Amino acid sequence: AKKAPSPEDLAAKQAAAQAEANRQELQRWLGYVEAKIPEGYLYANGVAKLKALGVASHPDLQDRLNTAIAQVAAVKERQEAARTEAQH
């Protein structure tokens, strides 16, 4: 006969499910931030939401966020250079 799962087992399952849901939420917000890269726009609200959700505890997602921030800066720089050139 199968015995009922212990409260610890249930808690561990619940924690794993919560961690997965949190990760999916992080990935969703990261997608919003990454989608704005080509415009040279840093979606600050999205970055704040990612930090609040604990992106730092997911090194792979934190790396993606760092990359996105750097890419936005690079796009902005190119846009600025193009504007400066257009003025001369």
Side-chain angles (χ1 to χ4, degrees), residues 30 55 58-68:
L30 198 49
V55 71
H58 299 266
D60 60 323
L61 300 182
Q62 179 67 59
D63 283 349
R64 278 176 59 190
L65 177 58
N66 294 344
T67 299

Side-chain angles (χ1 to χ4, degrees), residues 39-58:
E39 299 168 33
Y41 174 73
L42 182 61
Y43 183 37
N45 187 38
V47 173
K49 185 77 174 168
L50 285 160
K51 288 181 179 174
L53 287 168
V55 71
S57 59
H58 299 266

Side-chain angles (χ1 to χ4, degrees), residues 7-23 58:
E8 290 80 17
D9 288 346
L10 287 175
K13 262 198 177 114
Q14 215 174 1
Q18 183 57 50
E20 182 53 34
N22 177 261
R23 188 171 171 82
H58 299 266

